[in-house]
Amino acid sequence: MVVKVYGPAFASPKRVIACLIEKEIEFETVPVDLLKGEHKDPEFLKLQPFGTVPVTQDGDYVLYESRAIIRYYAEKYKSQGTDLLGKTVEERGQVENWLEVEAHNFNPPIYALTLHLMFASKMGFPPDENLIKESEEKLGKVLDIYEERLSKNKYLAGDFFSLADLSHLPFTQYLVGQMGREYMITSRKHVSAWWDDISSRPSWQKVLQLYAPPF
Amino acid sequence: MVVKVYGPAFASPKRVIACLIEKEIEFETVPVDLLKGEHKDPEFLKLQPFGTVPVTQDGDYVLYESRAIIRYYAEKYKSQGTDLLGKTVEERGQVENWLEVEAHNFNPPIYALTLHLMFASKMGFPPDENLIKESEEKLGKVLDIYEERLSKNKYLAGDFFSLADLSHLPFTQYLVGQMGREYMITSRKHVSAWWDDISSRPSWQKVLQLYAPPF
């Protein structure tokens, strides 16, 4: 069965695609244009009632929420492609810990920066300069903690690449690219080495080559 | 080894404690008073650099982020106590899906309500009435989707109690209690039956009896 992934132009679905490539799982993509509001179409809401991307459809098995989808495929195909969950239950615990740190500490400020630096003008609202400043400060503090962590471990969950690292790829790519905030990464030695490592993986390079961002 | 859980008076650590009781795992608690800023003490920051609760310490194995901790213990002790992850990888996928829905759709508005209805005056800032109104509307829309989901399945991930349900307990308890918003649950037939079911579990009743909220 080929896995269908909805919304490949956008950031969160790229987590899923990077994971499927790492796991050597066949997939196809279905465009959903958030800027045209296609995620609020009644047909789409039948698949994903909260009206966000990504969604995956695998026969009649449907999942949404990118970090749930990557956990599912990483576990279902544990021994195929790259192992993304660690070898032991303790290693997996650390993967879970840093996946949650990404979701609850790293993502809120970087998402706010994405919205206000990249999407605001396209979506017809003025960027909130105070929020941009505040979010950059918050993100900087999070990256200081990452710097400390990555001075002791090559990757976030330990000395192995995992879902916890992979989950950072899409929004950090915006940060160093369209957002022009590369210095937030390069000014931190260990974060910078980690970013060079994870962003040069063939899976991520393929995602960037195949699925252009929305503008 | 007895698991140490930091911060039992507060909501997120109660997710962890409910899980440990369901899994029949021995634990002890360590108070951390957020209202006195103890989560920003240098000693505490060595354990949890982001300065939040809960933290668990199991010998020298440390985790933070409540939803990472509950996944770890539910997996490590899969066959002990209540199975909270589902029987198959597909069931676990649904548990992950609805744990993420809780974290990203349900939690933001209910957390904002908690902060502004329960903590604002204690923390010395005025409640933001617009944010309260907006958060109540957002939460209502999320609960409408839950109502539809729970009309087809007894629990969020399927016909089995799981981490996805358990994760809703602490903040929903505030909603129907101190926040005086019980009508948001009771006005929705299937959500109401689900809440009665999950909140009457002996594990949750024990949490409420043992660990009083901070005020």
Side-chain angles (χ1 to χ4, degrees):
Chain A
M1 193 73 69
V2 176
V3 182
K4 276 188 196 170
V5 184
Y6 289 75
F10 294 88
S12 298
K14 288 190 165 68
R15 275 192 199 105
V16 172
I17 298 174
C19 173
L20 294 175
I21 296 173
E22 290 280 353
K23 300 303 294 175
E24 301 169 7
I25 297 167
E26 214 181 330
F27 65 92
E28 59 188 35
T29 57
V30 183
V32 181
D33 192 338
L34 306 191
L35 297 173
K36 287 188 186 152
E38 289 175 1
H39 54 309
K40 303 297 177 192
D41 283 353
E43 276 307 302
F44 187 77
L45 291 174
K46 281 186 198 165
L47 270 183
Q48 199 328 3
F50 297 96
T52 58
V53 292
V55 178
T56 54
Q57 215 177 359
D58 194 351
D60 59 3
Y61 190 71
V62 173
L63 288 174
Y64 33 85
E65 290 294 335
S66 60
R67 298 175 194 86
I69 298 169
I70 61 180
R71 285 175 170 108
Y72 169 73
Y73 284 104
E75 183 166 322
K76 186 170 173 76
Y77 297 93
K78 182 100 172 69
S79 56
Q80 177 178 315
T82 312
D83 181 0
L84 298 168
L85 292 171
K87 287 192 177 55
T88 62
V89 71
E90 276 64 39
E91 286 186 353
R92 174 148 189 184
Q94 292 300 326
V95 174
E96 294 297 345
N97 197 79
W98 289 91
L99 257 177
E100 290 288 311
V101 166
E102 182 271 318
H104 297 288
N105 298 88
F106 179 87
N107 196 66
I110 204 167
Y111 181 82
L113 287 173
T114 303
L115 195 62
H116 286 267
L117 289 171
M118 287 177 58
F119 283 81
S121 57
K122 303 279 188 294
M123 294 169 74
F125 63 88
D128 180 333
E129 296 299 337
N130 282 338
L131 185 64
I132 290 172
K133 192 165 168 280
E134 202 180 284
S135 300
E136 193 170 331
E137 280 169 14
K138 279 189 193 167
L139 184 62
K141 286 183 188 165
V142 171
L143 290 173
D144 287 343
I145 296 171
Y146 280 33
E147 179 66 7
E148 168 72 13
R149 173 81 184 166
L150 294 165
S151 74
K152 294 176 187 150
N153 301 277
K154 188 169 177 198
Y155 298 102
L156 287 170
D159 285 323
F160 55 100
F161 177 73
S162 76
L163 290 183
D165 308 295
L166 179 150
S167 196
H168 288 77
L169 287 165
F171 285 99
T172 313
Q173 189 71 50
Y174 282 163
L175 188 77
V176 304
Q178 289 95 322
M179 283 197 251
R181 259 59 176 180
E182 198 170 5
Y183 59 84
M184 294 192 74
I185 301 298
T186 54
S187 62
R188 292 171 172 92
K189 183 180 154 194
H190 296 99
V191 171
S192 189
W194 167 77
W195 173 249
D196 288 346
D197 179 312
I198 67 171
S199 64
S200 62
R201 291 182 73 86
S203 61
W204 185 243
Q205 288 303 313
K206 194 166 173 189
V207 172
L208 293 182
Q209 179 200 326
L210 291 177
Y211 306 102
F215 43 77
Chain B
M1 193 73 70
V2 176
V3 182
K4 276 188 196 167
V5 184
Y6 290 74
F10 294 88
S12 299
K14 288 191 165 69
R15 274 192 200 104
V16 172
I17 298 174
C19 173
L20 294 175
I21 296 173
E22 290 281 354
K23 299 304 293 175
E24 300 169 10
I25 297 167
E26 213 181 332
F27 65 93
E28 59 188 35
T29 57
V30 184
V32 181
D33 192 338
L34 306 192
L35 297 173
K36 288 188 184 151
E38 290 176 0
H39 54 308
K40 304 295 179 194
D41 283 354
E43 276 307 300
F44 187 78
L45 291 175
K46 282 186 199 164
L47 270 182
Q48 202 324 5
F50 298 97
T52 58
V53 292
V55 177
T56 55
Q57 215 177 359
D58 194 351
D60 60 1
Y61 189 71
V62 173
L63 287 173
Y64 33 84
E65 291 293 334
S66 60
R67 298 175 194 85
I69 299 170
I70 62 180
R71 284 175 170 108
Y72 169 73
Y73 284 104
E75 183 167 321
K76 185 170 174 75
Y77 298 93
K78 182 100 172 67
S79 56
Q80 177 177 315
T82 312
D83 181 1
L84 297 169
L85 292 171
K87 287 191 177 55
T88 62
V89 72
E90 275 65 38
E91 285 185 355
R92 173 147 189 185
Q94 293 300 325
V95 174
E96 295 297 345
N97 197 80
W98 289 90
L99 256 177
E100 291 287 312
V101 166
E102 183 272 318
H104 298 287
N105 298 88
F106 178 87
N107 196 65
I110 204 167
Y111 181 82
L113 287 172
T114 303
L115 195 62
H116 286 268
L117 289 171
M118 286 177 59
F119 283 80
S121 58
K122 302 278 188 293
M123 295 170 73
F125 62 89
D128 180 333
E129 296 300 337
N130 282 338
L131 185 64
I132 290 172
K133 191 165 170 281
E134 201 180 284
S135 300
E136 193 171 331
E137 281 170 14
K138 277 188 194 168
L139 184 62
K141 285 183 189 165
V142 171
L143 290 173
D144 286 341
I145 296 171
Y146 280 33
E147 179 67 7
E148 168 72 14
R149 173 82 185 167
L150 293 165
S151 73
K152 293 178 188 150
N153 300 276
K154 189 170 176 197
Y155 298 101
L156 287 170
D159 285 323
F160 56 101
F161 177 74
S162 76
L163 290 183
D165 308 296
L166 179 149
S167 196
H168 288 78
L169 287 164
F171 285 99
T172 313
Q173 188 70 50
Y174 282 163
L175 188 78
V176 304
Q178 288 95 322
M179 284 197 250
R181 259 58 176 181
E182 198 170 5
Y183 58 84
M184 293 192 74
I185 302 297
T186 54
S187 63
R188 293 171 172 92
K189 183 180 155 195
H190 295 97
V191 171
S192 190
W194 167 77
W195 173 249
D196 288 346
D197 179 312
I198 67 171
S199 64
S200 62
R201 291 182 73 86
S203 61
W204 185 243
Q205 288 303 313
K206 195 165 173 190
V207 171
L208 293 181
Q209 178 199 327
L210 291 177
Y211 306 101
F215 44 78

